[in-house]
Amino acid sequence: MSNFEDADTEETITCLQITVYHPVQLQSGMFQSIRFYNREKLPSSEVVKFGRNSNICHYTFQDKQVSRVQFSLQLFKKFDSSVLSFEIKNMSKKTSLLVDNKELCYLNKIDLPDKCMVRFGDYQLLIEKEDGESLEFFETQFILSPTSLLQENNWPLQKPIPEDGCYSSYSTQNTFPTEMDENEL
């Protein structure tokens, strides 16, 4: 047998493509610790945290308006499914997180849609999932958008989420965030 016949089958890897935008991104350096346009491979067991604390968060924003841990993403596999999914959880006590038009307050979590807009403060993140086969790893890839993602993707324009409170809650669907106890972290 040749080496080609003996070689392991290469699995495709699920990838989250995260396009980010903030109105003052060029002046502030808030995204300076994020490596854009490179795919980063992570173990599927890792809970990926986003925030300003570089000791806790895998991806950091250099901005005092961002919570130490703003939100987290965790990979999971639904029962009777081979497709990997993600859940997103708001880890900020001060700022709500909007996932499409669903408001997540502190410790609320929901399944991340395959394509969605995540917002907090003036931050806009368009997250798109490419499905893969591997159960061991997933990848992230960041893209910096020069223009507002809300306008570029024709998302409904709404006020930014206040830094010190909750957005007035409404939902366009009958799905609601899941409330968690702090001990489930």
Side-chain angles (χ1 to χ4, degrees), residues 98-177:
L98 269 185
V99 179
D100 288 338
N101 288 322
K102 295 178 189 77
E103 179 186 15
L104 302 182
C105 290
Y106 180 57
L107 295 180
N108 288 152
K109 69 177 183 176
I110 61 169
D111 291 357
L112 192 68
D114 288 346
K115 180 178 181 179
C116 65
M117 180 71 67
V118 175
R119 296 186 299 136
F120 58 95
D122 287 329
Y123 286 83
Q124 301 169 19
L125 293 85
L126 177 63
I127 302 178
E128 300 174 90
K129 183 181 80 153
E130 275 178 35
D131 285 330
E133 301 158 344
S134 175
L135 298 178
E136 303 299 317
F137 298 98
F138 69 96
E139 295 177 330
T140 58
Q141 180 182 31
F142 284 86
I143 297 170
L144 184 63
S145 176
T147 58
S148 169
L149 296 167
L150 292 172
Q151 294 168 356
E152 190 177 303
N153 291 282
N154 296 322
W155 246 268
L157 291 175
Q158 298 161 340
K159 293 184 214 169
I161 300 169
E163 299 291 346
D164 58 350
C166 285
Y167 190 78
S168 60
S169 184
Y170 70 93
S171 177
T172 57
Q173 298 177 349
N174 291 335
T175 57
F176 297 99

Side-chain angles (χ1 to χ4, degrees), residues 11-17 39-44 75-76 82-86 112 114 128-141:
E11 292 181 305
T12 57
I13 297 177
T14 299
C15 182
L16 281 184
Q17 186 178 65
R39 285 186 176 227
E40 182 176 358
K41 193 174 184 179
L42 301 165
S44 59
L75 190 67
F76 71 98
S82 62
V83 178
L84 296 177
S85 299
F86 289 85
L112 192 68
D114 288 346
E128 300 174 90
K129 183 181 80 153
E130 275 178 35
D131 285 330
E133 301 158 344
S134 175
L135 298 178
E136 303 299 317
F137 298 98
F138 69 96
E139 295 177 330
T140 58
Q141 180 182 31

Side-chain angles (χ1 to χ4, degrees), residues 65-101:
Q65 297 298 314
V66 174
S67 294
R68 286 178 188 90
V69 180
Q70 190 72 46
F71 67 94
S72 66
L73 293 173
Q74 184 168 15
L75 190 67
F76 71 98
K77 192 172 84 163
K78 291 183 180 179
F79 187 72
D80 284 340
S81 173
S82 62
V83 178
L84 296 177
S85 299
F86 289 85
E87 68 179 19
I88 185 167
K89 181 179 1 174
N90 185 8
M91 303 295 290
S92 173
K93 292 179 182 176
K94 293 196 292 187
T95 305
S96 288
L97 192 68
L98 269 185
V99 179
D100 288 338
N101 288 322

Side-chain angles (χ1 to χ4, degrees), residues 54-71:
S54 62
N55 294 324
I56 299 171
C57 297
H58 195 88
Y59 298 111
T60 57
F61 303 113
Q62 310 298 315
D63 183 353
K64 290 180 181 168
Q65 297 298 314
V66 174
S67 294
R68 286 178 188 90
V69 180
Q70 190 72 46
F71 67 94

